[in-house]
Amino acid sequence: MTTPSTAIRLAHRVAQVPPSATAALDAHAKALLADGVDVINLTSGEPAFPTVTPAAEAGATAIAEDFTRYTPAAGTPELRTAVAGHLNRHGTGYTAADIVVAAGAKQALAHTFTALLEPGDEVLVPAPYWVSYPHLITLAGGVPVTVQPGEDLKVTPDQLRAAITPRTRVLLLNSPANPSGIVYSRAELAALAEVAVEHDLVIVSDEICDHWVFGEPAFTSTAALSTEIAGRTVTIGGVSKTFAMTGWRIGWLAATTPVAAAVAALQSHTASAPSSVSQRAALGALAADLDEELTHRRNELDARRITTIEAISKTSGLTVAGDPTGAFFLLADVSGTYGLRHGDRTIRSAADFAELLLAEARVAVVPGADFGAPDHVRISYTVPADRLAEALTRLRGFADDLTAPRS
């Protein structure tokens, strides 16, 4: 339908929100693939493994049994109980009453910020950060406050304290982190959480990649640090990353029972409830003994991580940022290519680098500006090992072909 562009006025809060950069680039890479272009897509935020078999079978059984009706707004009791048990393996003490199942961790975050923030409340967001964090906060009426890290890409307690104002309400933590892959140690998380205690802040801890930790430091759940910290923490998670179930759209939040009840009421008026079929699939994944399969997948991904780090360290003009020991992403600093040329184009930004890499080498990566890392690109190393090796060869060849500016 064609109408004048001014016919419907959008609310300011949504008119200022851009589409997700990662989703847009992933879609562009997939469109090129559909057109027969041999693109290797390193933008994706999902593991390149099939959905675990028990989940797929449970979803199919749910359909066969006509389990396709509304469920309670917070999720089925069986799934909430299973989620609590899944989280408690990290040392937390959640019960089913503390869990709200949502249509993905992103929706769980959106509901959490809506439930916590009054207009103008500030949320401390350590950089680099996942692209959607600032927009989720803004849409809930809050104000994202970026906290810049040190060279290791980890923020310190003093950096947090320096950013706190009378309007600060929430500290947002993400470990293992997207986009950097860094993992905070237990001691580091405890020191950050102590700042929240000092200033009476709520902690929102995004732990969606808890399974994907390689070596040290080991994963620590923020709510497992102490009873006091657990009482001010909202834990975010889901099945997407661990069980390769991104399209099933099942995430959750875990919090004190009153907070969970408030979010469940909110969800009852927005989404009603997550997909019943997807909830059954998630229950199938959580109920199954998948330790061997998940360990195998983690080992495979760790090998790809090491391959990627080694390749980037040997690529002219690029360096790996921080110590990416978790998730399945890393940031590569590409500022060493600034001022170099490829054909008639000069690289002046990470966006230029990514655009030329896609055009000339058919490798898709994400520029880091929307992650708060403007001189970097995010690389997702989840693609099959042979395709990853080819992508890294193309990347190195592209960098080697860059030439100095004309005098």
Side-chain angles (χ1 to χ4, degrees):
M1 179 173 63
T2 303
T3 60
S5 60
T6 56
I8 299 176
R9 178 178 60 83
L10 295 175
H12 179 76
R13 63 180 174 274
V14 72
Q16 302 303 311
V17 175
S20 166
T22 53
L25 284 162
D26 183 54
H28 179 50
K30 288 175 179 176
L32 289 172
L33 283 166
D35 288 339
V37 180
D38 182 24
V39 170
I40 304 177
N41 186 6
L42 304 184
T43 72
S44 183
E46 57 187 348
F49 298 114
T51 292
V52 294
T53 299
E57 291 178 345
T61 299
I63 295 171
E65 293 177 351
D66 197 30
F67 187 72
T68 56
R69 315 299 178 184
Y70 291 130
T71 72
T76 65
E78 297 84 0
L79 180 55
R80 294 166 72 194
T81 298
V83 169
H86 180 71
L87 294 175
N88 291 343
R89 76 197 195 282
H90 295 312
T92 53
Y94 293 118
T95 68
D98 305 325
I99 308 299
V100 179
V101 181
K106 187 180 291 188
Q107 187 181 74
L109 281 163
H111 286 340
T112 296
F113 291 131
T114 299
L116 294 179
L117 300 177
E118 300 288 358
D121 281 351
E122 295 176 352
V123 179
L124 301 182
V125 184
Y129 45 75
W130 179 48
V131 62
S132 292
Y133 286 151
H135 307 302
L136 290 170
I137 294 163
T138 300
L139 286 169
V143 179
V145 176
T146 301
V147 183
Q148 294 296 336
E151 290 187 2
D152 62 356
L153 301 187
K154 295 181 178 181
V155 297
T156 66
D158 286 344
Q159 288 167 334
L160 290 182
R161 291 187 182 99
I164 291 174
T165 76
R167 296 306 305 265
T168 306
R169 167 75 170 145
V170 173
L171 166 60
L172 175 58
L173 297 176
N174 178 212
S175 175
N178 177 1
S180 65
I182 64 102
V183 179
Y184 284 91
S185 70
R186 186 180 185 89
E188 290 167 336
L189 277 178
L192 298 180
E194 185 57 35
V195 177
V197 173
E198 291 171 7
H199 294 271
D200 193 25
L201 305 181
V202 178
I203 301 170
V204 175
S205 184
D206 183 352
E207 301 175 4
I208 188 66
C209 286
D210 62 344
H211 173 72
W212 302 108
V213 178
F214 314 103
E216 297 295 333
F219 172 76
T220 298
S221 178
T222 302
L225 293 171
S226 72
T227 301
E228 181 180 25
I229 292 169
R232 65 175 63 248
T233 297
V234 180
T235 301
I236 305 295
V239 297
S240 292
K241 312 300 187 184
T242 301
F243 302 109
M245 295 178 65
T246 51
W248 294 87
R249 308 312 305 139
I250 292 293
W252 53 71
L253 64 89
T256 59
T257 303
V259 172
V263 173
L266 170 64
Q267 179 157 278
S268 74
H269 292 292
T270 53
S272 293
S275 158
S276 57
V277 173
S278 293
Q279 288 188 67
R280 276 283 185 88
L283 181 60
L286 293 175
D289 180 4
L290 292 169
D291 286 350
E292 183 176 352
E293 172 64 19
L294 294 179
T295 298
H296 172 72
R297 292 185 179 194
R298 184 165 50 209
N299 290 340
E300 281 198 20
L301 208 53
D302 190 22
R304 297 174 202 178
R305 178 184 69 94
I306 293 169
T307 296
T308 305
I309 291 171
E310 291 176 347
I312 292 173
S313 67
K314 297 175 182 177
T315 300
S316 177
L318 274 64
T319 56
V320 175
D323 184 17
T325 58
F328 34 77
F329 313 102
L330 58 79
L331 288 172
D333 187 331
V334 298
S335 60
T337 68
Y338 291 178
L340 300 181
R341 294 170 45 253
H342 194 288
D344 294 331
R345 291 283 304 277
T346 300
I347 297 175
R348 295 187 174 87
S349 67
D352 288 343
F353 180 93
E355 182 181 338
L356 277 170
L357 181 65
L358 179 58
E360 303 298 334
R362 301 305 191 197
V363 175
V365 296
V366 186
D370 288 343
F371 297 105
D375 291 328
H376 301 72
V377 297
R378 188 189 76 171
I379 295 174
S380 173
Y381 47 81
T382 67
V383 298
D386 58 337
R387 295 296 283 166
L388 178 63
E390 173 63 20
L392 295 171
T393 298
R394 293 183 190 184
L395 173 62
R396 188 171 183 180
F398 170 78
D400 287 344
D401 286 343
L402 297 177
T403 58
R406 295 189 181 96
S407 56

